[in-house]
Every structure is written in C-alpha cells, then in structure tokens.
C-alpha cells in the first residue's frame, strides 16, 4: 500500500473533493438525480469494450522527452497538487481517459508515461488480470531495490502469471483463514489498550495523539497475529517496531512524495529525493531487527509456508512486507480516516451508531461475527469511508495486449506494454455512479444501497469480489473491513461521542482527540 507514512513525508495538497465532481459534471449530463446503479456501459465487465461508444484517440501529451516529465512532476507536487493536476487535464481534454506523466520521473523512473483512468467506468480494467499485468508496478513507474526486502521480489510485485505469486498468496490466505477465530478477541485487546492510552493522555494533557496510538495498535495487532500472540514488547523490537517500519517505508517511497517545505525549497527538495533512489543500506539495521523478530516468533506461520513449498527465508521476507508495508501501512491511515469522517458527521450519527452497537451486542450476548454482521449502519459507515477517501489512491498495471478501455462516454485503444494508471478517488467519487458523490452519506450502503458496493474499489478489486491466489486483490481485504467495524463497535461501547481536531496531509489526516464522553448507557 502506498498511503503510509504519517507526517514524515506528505503530498503538498490533500484531496480537495470538489475537483472531481466539478470537472466531471460537464461529461455527465445524462446522469440521473437518484442513487442508482451505474449506466449499462459502466456495469459491463471491465475487460469488455462497449461497441456503442465512439472510438477516440487518447487525448493528452507527454511533452518533450525528459522536460515534459519534469514539468508534470512539478505541477503535481508543487504548483497544482494531485487533484487539481488531474482535474485541469480532464477539463482541458474533455475526457476522463488521458495521457500524462506520473512521478517520480527522471532519473528514478525510466519511463514515466501513463494512460490515466479518471472515472469509475474505466478504472476497473486494472483488475482484469487477463488484460493487464502487475509486474513490479506496486509503486507505479518505478520499483525500489529488492535489497529492501532481503533480495526477494515479494508477492506484491509479482504478476499473477508468475508461479510464486499463487504460492505466496495462498500462504497468506491460509494464514488468515486459520487465525480467523483470533481476529475479534486479539484486536479488541489492542483497542482496549489504545483507548486506555488515549484516556491517559487526555487526563495529563487535555489532548491525545490518535495517530501514534493507533499506529502502535495496528503494528501490535499484525505482529501478534503472525507471531502466535507474542507481544512485540517482549521481543528484540521492544516498542521500536512502528518507527522501524516507518523509516523502512520512508526510504522506499520518498520519490513519490514531498516534504511540504516552503516553496523556496521546492526545487532543492525535488533534486534531492528524485535524482537517485535512496539506498537500502540506510535501513539495513532496522530491517534486520524486523526480520529477526518475525523469523524468531512467527514460527507457526513459517512452518505452514514450508509445507506449501516456500523457502523459509523468502516466506519470512514476505511476512515482514505484508505485515509492515501492506497491513500496518494501510491500517495506520485507515483508522484516522474513519475517525475523521465520523467526527465531521456529528453527534446525531454518533448516537445512532451507539444505539445500534449496544442493542446488537446485548441481543447477541457479546461482540461476535454474527453481531458485527447485524450492524448495517456500522457496515455502511466503514464502506462509505473507503469510498469517499480510499487509503490507497493509486493503482497501476501494464497492458498485456492491445486492448480497448471505455469511459462513460468513449472508448480508447491502448497498445500492448503501455502503463495504465488509475486515480482511485476520482473513480470512487464518480458522479455518474454515486448521487452526491462528494458528500459523506453514512447510510449510503444500507438496504438497497448494498447493490452499490460493487463500485467500492479500495482493495485492488471490487468490494463484492473476493481475494484469491489467482488475483491481485488484497488478501486481508475482509480483515481490514472487520477491524474497522470493530473499531467503531469498541468506540461506541465505551463512549457516546468525542471531540477532535485534524490537519490534512497527503497521506491522511492527523487526528488530535480533545475529549471523550463516556457511555451513558450499556
């Protein structure tokens, strides 16, 4: 996952939601005013072309070699910000499928040219593994050195046609399946520790750092999950695990970000972090500590990997990557997103959630899988957060063959080998698909609204699809949804409401808790 590092590096401009609907609207004159399924052209299989749509050349330009990519990069980071960068090109070309360059560009990326897919109709072709390949495209148009991962190309960088992909992916699916009964009690334990820490900070300072506390909770949960319940504080890591992962991620992903320095330093920053990639030796010691901790304590999981035919050391490097890069990296942003939108929605929603949570928990006799499935408002809120502000804003793939990509209004020919890039916030806030696409609607997916879940795309696949060894959908997709629901349940079992402040950075909101109101009813 790419949205990862809190306050260390961040995109200059956070998502500004009005851009997508404002500039897509002129292309959307035929949309209706009610929440409904997308037009028939959108609901077709993403790999099929719509013969009723006109076939057009892909508009846009890459500019002059080298200089065009540099210009686009400066606009993206320093002059426009990411949403405006895409929105102005949509407006200029009157198209949601365009040609552009994507960072990091020269000299780190050998070819920054992409075909950008900026609506919910064209985006899903990125999930069609018969049409596109995902070879070394996790981070876009460049790939960090494999020295960051022990010399191995871990599963996230493998294409589905590579034999090791199915083997490693099945290993993770097996690990999660065998540990499913521990998800709820283990994470509730982590949540209870985290809320106790929040309360302790509030009692001392009248404010609490939500991000740091729940980053630690995310790491602790993933470590305990893979390591048979072992608390990382009882290992060689102590309390350093999250910081070690943050540093390791920082040096891999720095070319995709900006420090947010004053404008006078923009070009200096650009030169320093995007001329040459950072060497893995800068994180060698910290990564070794992480690897040794998992190697020592994730013995049951690594035994399972060997039974499948994976080498133990390769499996361990994959575990570190999945637990650190994918899971921890995603969750440490996902919980702030949930709390941000929950807080902005106000006390009426808090009261409704508290009533639902407490009623169902009382009826079911506790927090169980069945109880969680019987909380439609809780489920809808989680899905709506993932729709309106997906934690992973980018998806990349390369065309396996000559193919046709269709937006709502036209079809476009893509040549074999061209890089496809999808900007997910524009796909999931597409006004041709969702009514009030820029508005957080807590009950959007309740009742008949569940039919719209096929347009929630946060997990490298549709929410209505399931991860398998043969696709690239996140193996922990269902676990992430479960943990977000558990977060809401634990929050409203303990509290009626809360007050908060947030500042927006490119990699997610930074949340400060100002107060917590203890639950008035149980």
């Amino acid at each position: 996952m790419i949205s990862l590092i809190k306050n260390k590096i961040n995109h200059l401009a956070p998502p500004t939601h009005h851009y997508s609907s404002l500039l897509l609207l002129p292309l959307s004159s035929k949309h209706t005013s009610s929440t409904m399924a997308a037009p028939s052209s959108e609901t077709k299989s993403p790999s099929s072309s719509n013969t009723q749509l006109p076939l057009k050349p892909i508009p846009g330009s890459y500019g002059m070699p080298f200089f065009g990519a540099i210009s686009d990069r400066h606009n993206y980071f320093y002059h426009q910000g990411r949403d405006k960068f895409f929105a102005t090109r949509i407006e200029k070309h009157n198209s949601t499928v365009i040609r552009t360059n994507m960072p990091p560009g020269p000299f780190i990326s050998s070819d920054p040219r992409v075909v950008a897919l900026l609506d919910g109709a064209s985006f899903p072709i990125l999930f069609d593994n018969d049409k596109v390949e995902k070879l070394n495209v996790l981070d876009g148009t460049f790939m960090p050195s494999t020295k960051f991962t022990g010399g191995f190309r871990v599963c996230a960088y493998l294409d589905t046609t590579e034999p090791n992909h199915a083997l490693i992916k099945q290993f993770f699916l097996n690990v999660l399946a065998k540990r499913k009964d521990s998800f709820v009690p283990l994470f509730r334990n982590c949540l209870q520790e985290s809320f106790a820490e929040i309360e302790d900070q509030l009692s001392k300072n009248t404010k609490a750092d939500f991000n740091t506390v729940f980053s630690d909770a995310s790491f602790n949960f993933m470590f305990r999950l893979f390591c048979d319940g072992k608390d990382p504080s009882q290992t060689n890591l102590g309390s350093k695990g999250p910081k070690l992962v943050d540093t390791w991620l920082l040096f891999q992903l720095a070319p995709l970000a900006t420090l947010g320095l004053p404008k006078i330093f923009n070009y200096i920053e650009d030169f320093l972090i995007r001329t040459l990639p950072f060497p893995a030796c800068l994180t060698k010691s910290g990564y070794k500590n992480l690897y040794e901790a998992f190697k020592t304590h994730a013995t049951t999981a690594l035994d399972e990997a060997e039974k499948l035919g994976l080498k133990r050391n390769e499996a361990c490097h994959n575990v570190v990557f999945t637990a650190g890069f994918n899971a921890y990296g995603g969750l440490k942003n996902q919980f702030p997103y949930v709390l941000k939108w929950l807080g902005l929605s106000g006390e009426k929603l808090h009261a409704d959630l508290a009533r639902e949570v407490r009623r169902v928990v009382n009826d079911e006799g506790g927090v169980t899988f069945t109880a969680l499935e019987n909380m439609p408002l809780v489920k809808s809120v989680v899905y709506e957060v993932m729709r309106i502000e997906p934690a992973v804003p980018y998806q990349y793939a390369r065309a396996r063959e000559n193919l046709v990509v269709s937006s709502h209004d036209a079809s476009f020919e893509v040549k074999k080998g061209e890089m496809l890039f999808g900007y997910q916030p524009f796909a999931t806030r597409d006004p041709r698909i969702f009514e009030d696409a820029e508005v957080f609607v807590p009950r959007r997916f309740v009742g008949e609204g569940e039919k719209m879940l096929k347009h929630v795309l946060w997990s490298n696949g549709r929410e209505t699809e399931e991860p398998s060894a043969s696709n690239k959908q996140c193996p922990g997709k269902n676990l992430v949804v479960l943990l977000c629901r558990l977060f809401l349940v634990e929050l409203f079992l303990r509290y009626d409401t809360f007050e908060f402040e947030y500042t927006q950075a490119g990699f997610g909101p930074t949340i400060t808790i100002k107060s917590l109101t203890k639950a008035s009813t149980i």
Side-chain angles (χ1 to χ4, degrees):
M1 294 185 179
I2 297 178
S3 333
L4 299 171
I5 306 165
K6 184 195 79 172
N7 283 342
K8 294 191 175 180
I9 50 177
N10 54 77
H11 288 291
L12 182 64
T16 48
H17 298 310
H18 68 279
Y19 281 126
S20 62
S21 63
L22 174 67
L23 295 176
L24 285 171
L25 194 58
L27 304 175
S28 310
S29 59
K30 298 179 182 179
H31 76 287
T32 65
S33 61
S34 61
T35 301
M36 55 177 287
S40 59
S41 61
E42 192 281 334
T43 56
K44 289 180 179 291
S45 167
S47 62
S48 65
S49 62
N50 190 330
T51 57
Q52 296 178 344
L53 294 175
L55 187 64
K56 297 181 178 180
I58 302 172
S61 170
Y62 302 120
M64 294 176 61
F66 183 84
F67 296 104
I70 296 294
S71 175
D72 282 348
R73 185 168 82 197
H74 287 172
N75 283 328
Y76 179 87
F77 285 123
Y78 306 123
H79 304 317
Q80 295 175 316
R82 67 186 188 189
D83 276 24
K84 190 174 181 180
F85 177 84
F86 298 119
T88 55
R89 284 152 179 78
I90 292 173
E91 185 177 41
K92 177 181 178 180
H93 302 294
N94 194 34
S95 175
T96 51
V97 175
I98 60 172
R99 295 189 182 277
T100 189
N101 297 290
M102 280 298 292
F107 295 95
I108 291 174
S109 171
S110 61
D111 187 356
R113 298 173 299 173
V114 303
V115 175
L117 313 177
L118 304 174
D119 64 25
S122 58
F123 190 95
I125 200 169
L126 294 165
F127 310 145
D128 189 337
N129 295 305
D130 293 330
K131 297 291 185 180
V132 302
E133 71 173 19
K134 296 291 186 78
L135 181 70
N136 299 336
V137 299
L138 177 68
D139 303 319
T141 60
F142 90 113
M143 177 182 169
S145 169
T146 57
K147 291 180 181 179
F148 282 104
T149 50
F152 291 97
R153 290 174 57 241
V154 293
C155 188
Y157 291 103
L158 300 179
D159 182 57
T160 53
T161 60
E162 297 181 79
N164 251 21
H165 177 271
L167 190 62
I168 299 171
K169 185 78 173 286
Q170 191 61 57
F171 160 59
F172 284 117
L173 292 172
N174 290 352
V175 166
L176 294 175
K178 291 181 179 180
R179 288 156 177 76
K180 66 180 186 301
D181 291 337
S182 68
F183 293 163
V184 171
L186 181 58
F187 192 58
R188 289 197 74 198
N189 180 263
C190 292
L191 288 172
Q192 289 160 9
E193 294 171 357
S194 298
F195 282 121
E197 172 63 21
I198 293 288
E199 291 180 13
D200 185 58
Q201 289 188 27
L202 285 173
S203 68
K204 296 176 180 177
N205 304 312
T206 69
K207 63 180 181 180
D209 181 355
F210 178 88
N211 290 61
T212 297
V213 172
F214 277 85
S215 290
D216 291 348
S218 299
F219 180 82
N220 290 344
F221 172 77
M222 295 312 305
F223 191 88
R224 294 178 196 179
L225 185 67
F226 280 102
C227 297
D228 300 325
K230 190 75 171 181
D231 192 298
S233 65
Q234 300 172 329
T235 73
N236 64 303
L237 295 176
S239 61
K240 299 181 298 182
K243 291 183 175 61
L244 293 177
V245 178
D246 284 347
T247 303
W248 175 62
L249 295 173
L250 170 66
F251 286 111
Q252 293 178 73
L253 300 176
L256 298 176
T258 173
L259 299 170
L261 300 174
K263 289 183 178 180
I264 192 173
F265 299 114
N266 284 351
Y267 293 109
I268 297 173
E269 175 203 271
D270 192 62
F271 175 79
L272 291 177
I273 68 176
R274 276 179 281 275
T275 300
L276 294 172
F278 288 103
C281 62
L282 295 174
T283 62
K284 183 177 180 179
S285 175
Y287 181 76
K288 182 179 179 181
N289 288 338
L290 289 167
Y291 176 83
E292 290 298 330
F294 280 95
K295 180 182 177 182
T296 301
H297 300 288
T299 52
T300 302
L302 297 179
D303 289 344
E304 294 169 8
E306 284 190 310
K307 291 176 183 177
L308 283 175
L310 273 173
K311 293 181 179 178
R312 197 174 188 87
N313 63 334
E314 181 176 8
C316 190
H317 285 294
N318 272 276
V319 168
V320 175
F321 189 90
T322 296
F325 195 115
N326 295 123
Y328 164 76
L331 288 173
K332 70 173 291 179
N333 270 357
Q334 194 63 60
F335 295 126
Y337 280 134
V338 171
L339 199 73
K340 168 192 167 182
W341 288 103
L342 191 63
L344 291 174
S345 297
E347 293 187 20
K348 173 63 166 60
L349 177 61
H350 302 177
D352 291 344
L353 284 165
R355 277 193 296 271
E356 178 178 88
V357 166
R358 296 167 196 177
R359 174 181 57 78
V360 174
V361 169
N362 283 333
D363 290 348
E364 297 293 335
V367 180
T368 63
F369 283 113
T370 301
L372 292 168
E373 281 301 307
N374 289 330
M375 298 179 186
L377 181 56
V378 168
K379 290 194 291 184
S380 181
V381 166
V382 170
Y383 288 135
E384 179 68 348
V385 172
M386 292 172 166
R387 181 200 71 83
I388 199 166
E389 197 164 11
V392 181
Y394 317 113
Q395 294 289 344
Y396 287 87
R398 198 173 293 278
R400 290 193 193 275
E401 58 187 45
N402 294 340
L403 52 85
V404 174
V405 176
S406 295
S407 68
H408 293 296
D409 302 294
S411 293
F412 307 89
E413 289 184 330
V414 175
K415 300 298 183 184
K416 178 180 179 180
E418 287 195 280
M419 181 73 88
L420 297 171
F421 159 77
Y423 185 50
Q424 194 154 284
F426 278 18
T428 55
R429 301 197 310 262
D430 185 339
R432 298 283 286 272
I433 295 174
F434 291 104
E435 182 185 10
D436 296 326
E438 306 292 349
V439 179
F440 182 80
V441 181
R443 291 173 174 78
R444 188 183 296 275
F445 300 106
V446 172
E448 286 295 306
E450 288 189 35
K451 295 178 181 179
M452 298 300 291
L453 285 175
K454 64 184 177 183
H455 302 295
V456 178
L457 312 172
W458 68 275
S459 64
N460 202 7
R462 295 182 183 274
E463 184 57 35
T464 50
E465 297 172 352
E466 294 298 325
S468 72
S470 62
N471 66 28
K472 293 298 292 184
Q473 191 165 28
C474 174
K477 167 219 170 192
N478 294 327
L479 176 59
V480 172
V481 174
L482 174 72
L483 298 183
C484 289
R485 293 180 191 173
L486 277 172
F487 169 75
L488 291 182
V489 167
E490 194 66 29
L491 176 67
F492 287 108
L493 284 176
R494 299 169 69 98
Y495 312 107
D496 283 339
T497 188
F498 61 91
E499 293 181 350
F500 83 118
E501 295 177 349
Y502 82 95
T503 56
Q504 187 71 41
F507 284 131
T510 299
I511 304 288
T512 300
I513 300 292
K514 305 294 289 184
S515 71
L516 292 167
T517 302
K518 289 290 183 71
S520 55
T521 60
I522 300 299

